[in-house]
């Protein structure tokens, strides 16, 4: 198979499945794994995909919700950096909300010894914090979504609406200076909008790859946030814009 045909085949599989595995691709296309890795490298350079350990994924498309198993291994160092920044903002006695993002999974690991109250709709966050003897844990129920290991829908919103928290730590798929935080999944967007209205301070957690993008559904304008927490310093235009609208850059 010619390289161009092979890479077109890889793109078709990515559009269908959102993520692909090096070994499985090599077997199905009848080539060596090193050939697939070289394809991935060149396709990433061309902006066609994003490489991960052992595979690749794409983020384009309204319906492209990457599986939780894939998201949990993507940009782990960036998530750790963000989680450590968040942990410094959380103090004894605080009540906080953690959403179903994999960044909040990492943050939950940082909070096991804290004397705080955590409200979440994430089964994974609840699983992590269930090992803590000091965290008071509240899990919002609803319709279970295996894709994100979380609860979503009308019952979830009703459960969350019973509470007010000091700080909410939410993520999104993309964030844009003009259009704010956006997402691709309606259930996730609704949950995050709900907690925006019910928290004293709201922190948007994004790694640098999410900056300047626009997804299908609006979560909130930037002005409604307390701060954006990123794994690396934001560019001067971003910092200037956030300062102008009164939003911190952390």
């Amino acid at each position: 198979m010619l390289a161009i045909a092979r890479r077109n085949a890889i793109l078709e599989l990515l559009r269908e499945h959102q993520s692909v595995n090096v070994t499985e691709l090599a077997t199905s296309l009848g080539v060596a794994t090193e050939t697939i890795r070289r394809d991935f490298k060149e396709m990433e350079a061309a902006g066609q995909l994003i490489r991960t350990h052992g595979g690749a994924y794409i983020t384009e498309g309204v319906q492209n919700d990457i599986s939780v198993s894939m998201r949990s291994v993507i940009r782990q160092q960036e998530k750790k950096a963000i989680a450590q920044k968040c942990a410094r903002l959380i103090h004894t006695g605080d009540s906080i909300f953690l959403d179903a993002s994999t960044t909040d999974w990492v943050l939950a690991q940082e909070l096991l010894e804290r004397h705080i109250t955590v409200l979440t709709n994430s089964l994974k966050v609840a699983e992590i914090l269930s090992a803590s003897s000091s965290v008071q844990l509240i899990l919002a129920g609803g319709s279970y979504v295996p894709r994100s290991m979380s609860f979503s829908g009308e019952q979830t919103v009703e459960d969350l609406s019973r509470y007010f928290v000091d700080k909410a730590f939410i993520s999104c798929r993309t964030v844009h200076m003009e259009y704010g935080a956006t997402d691709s999944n309606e259930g996730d967007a609704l949950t995050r909008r709900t907690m925006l209205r019910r928290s004293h301070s709201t922190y948007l957690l994004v790694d640098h790859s999410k900056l300047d993008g626009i997804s299908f559904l609006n979560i909130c304008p930037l002005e409604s946030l307390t701060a954006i927490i990123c794994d690396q310093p934001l560019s001067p235009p971003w910092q200037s814009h956030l300062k102008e609208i009164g939003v911190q850059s952390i």
Side-chain angles (χ1 to χ4, degrees), residues 15 40 75 105 132 194 203:
R15 292 186 184 107
F40 281 0
R75 303 190 183 279
W105 294 10
S132 173
T194 299
Y203 300 93

Side-chain angles (χ1 to χ4, degrees), residues 89-106:
L89 299 170
I90 299 169
H91 308 294
T92 297
D94 277 348
S95 59
I96 68 170
F97 171 75
L98 301 182
D99 70 8
S101 66
T102 52
T103 302
D104 272 348
W105 294 10
V106 181

Side-chain angles (χ1 to χ4, degrees), residues 26-210:
T27 300
S28 64
L29 297 178
V31 296
T33 55
E34 284 307 310
T35 300
I36 299 298
R37 289 192 178 94
R38 284 196 299 271
D39 286 338
F40 281 0
K41 186 175 182 179
E42 294 191 22
M43 293 171 74
E44 183 176 51
Q48 295 175 308
L49 54 73
I50 301 170
R51 288 186 294 166
T52 66
H53 179 71
Y57 71 101
I58 56 173
T59 59
E60 292 80 5
V62 172
Q63 297 300 324
N64 186 356
D65 285 325
I66 302 166
S67 69
V68 71
S69 59
M70 174 65 76
R71 288 190 292 117
S72 67
V73 299
I74 293 170
R75 303 190 183 279
Q76 291 177 312
Q77 292 303 313
E78 289 89 339
K79 291 171 185 175
K80 181 72 172 177
I82 292 168
Q84 290 174 341
K85 290 182 179 183
C86 293
R88 291 194 286 269
L89 299 170
I90 299 169
H91 308 294
T92 297
D94 277 348
S95 59
I96 68 170
F97 171 75
L98 301 182
D99 70 8
S101 66
T102 52
T103 302
D104 272 348
W105 294 10
V106 181
L107 175 54
Q109 295 282 1
E110 299 282 328
L111 303 177
L112 290 168
E113 305 301 321
R114 302 295 188 91
H115 290 270
I116 58 175
T117 298
V118 176
L119 172 65
T120 186
N121 66 314
S122 168
L123 183 61
K124 183 65 176 180
V125 166
E127 178 186 313
I128 293 167
L129 292 177
S130 67
S132 173
S133 60
S134 58
V135 172
Q136 180 181 354
L137 178 64
I138 302 170
L139 177 61
S143 298
Y144 181 64
V145 184
R147 173 194 62 79
S148 57
M149 291 185 66
S150 67
F151 296 94
S152 181
E154 184 178 343
Q155 182 61 54
T156 306
V157 170
E158 185 176 329
D159 280 3
L160 292 174
S161 296
R162 296 168 56 202
Y163 302 98
F164 291 93
V165 297
D166 297 312
K167 298 159 186 173
F169 297 86
I170 66 171
S171 189
C172 65
R173 185 165 177 175
T174 45
V175 60
H176 190 277
M177 285 191 207
E178 181 177 357
Y179 301 109
T182 52
D183 219 318
S184 61
N185 182 276
E186 191 164 3
D188 290 342
L190 179 59
T191 297
R192 288 159 178 161
R193 282 197 296 266
T194 299
M195 291 313 300
L196 272 163
R197 297 191 296 268
R198 309 191 75 77
S199 61
H200 181 267
S201 301
T202 304
Y203 300 93
L204 183 69
L205 319 184
V206 291
D207 69 66
H208 63 276
S209 70
K210 297 182 177 182

